Amino acid sequence: MKKVITYGTFDLLHTGHINLLKRAKDLGDYLIVGVSTDEFNILKNKKSYFTFEERIHILKSIKYVDEIIAENDWEQKIPDILQSEVNVFAMGDDWKGKFDYLKEYCKVVYLPRTEGISTTKIKQDLNVRGEYQTNL
Ligand code: C2G
């Protein structure tokens, strides 16, 4: 079984995330998703609308996702890859080059991002229409 792993916050799940998850799954037979905890999001300077538990609940309903693990820090990728015997690490190409150090442990694939959609854009668009008050 060819195992793929990817990581992210996956807040306000949208078509860009779904495309990424599908493309990552298409690289193998089994997809593990490391979901950033609320605490790790603070380190990433991200504030998600949905809590860690809510984001996991949503991702569990996505057919491309076979397993979910918590992403607590930047250092866990190598142990995760070794422990789960992962063959492929996949990320959107906004991260291109940032995870090349993982090539020692598995194949590293940067997948094309979906243009025109992002969680930040969703928040900004809704905020402009006054439908969603938040500290951006
Ligand atoms: N993505 C995409 N197209 C978009 C938006 C996001 O392909 N329009 C991809 C990102 O490139 C990433 C994944 O969807 O691979 C999840 O996006 P985020 O939740 O923004 O993840 P990020 O905050 O980049 O976290 O250790 C890695 C980090 O946890 C990555």
Side-chain angles (χ1 to χ4, degrees):
M1 176 168 60
K2 194 170 183 185
K3 288 185 167 182
V4 185
I5 198 166
T6 191
Y7 295 81
T9 297
F10 295 101
D11 190 28
L12 297 181
L13 205 69
H14 55 67
T15 49
H17 295 136
I18 299 301
N19 290 338
L20 185 284
L21 292 170
K22 178 184 185 326
R23 290 167 181 161
K25 179 60 177 281
D26 288 347
L27 294 171
D29 314 292
Y30 186 88
L31 176 62
I32 303 168
V33 180
V35 180
S36 310
T37 60
D38 296 331
E39 296 75 16
F40 183 47
N41 270 341
I42 293 169
L43 297 182
K44 288 167 53 177
N45 295 318
K46 274 199 163 186
K47 168 136 183 41
S48 60
Y49 178 77
F50 289 127
T51 65
F52 175 64
E53 291 73 22
E54 289 169 326
R55 289 180 282 120
I56 286 181
H57 180 67
I58 292 164
L59 278 169
K60 274 181 177 171
S61 68
I62 304 297
K63 64 182 178 181
Y64 306 117
V65 178
D66 296 294
E67 181 182 340
I68 291 174
I69 61 173
E71 183 185 30
N72 299 291
D73 55 53
W74 292 110
E75 293 73 34
Q76 71 181 77
K77 293 184 176 69
I78 294 174
D80 287 349
I81 287 165
L82 294 176
Q83 190 173 353
S84 297
E85 297 177 329
V86 166
N87 306 96
V88 184
F89 168 88
M91 281 301 292
D93 60 10
D94 47 317
W95 290 92
K96 193 166 181 57
K98 299 288 193 310
F99 299 111
D100 287 356
Y101 68 93
L102 296 174
K103 287 180 177 174
E104 195 178 329
Y105 305 96
C106 66
K107 186 175 177 192
V108 174
V109 178
Y110 297 104
L111 297 162
R113 261 179 82 90
T114 303
E115 295 308 318
I117 182 80
S118 69
T119 304
T120 305
K121 183 177 183 328
I122 294 169
K123 288 180 179 178
Q124 285 169 344
D125 290 355
L126 290 175
N127 202 37
V128 161
R129 292 207 297 264
E131 293 166 10
Y132 171 59
Q133 297 308 319
T134 178
N135 50 330
L136 280 174

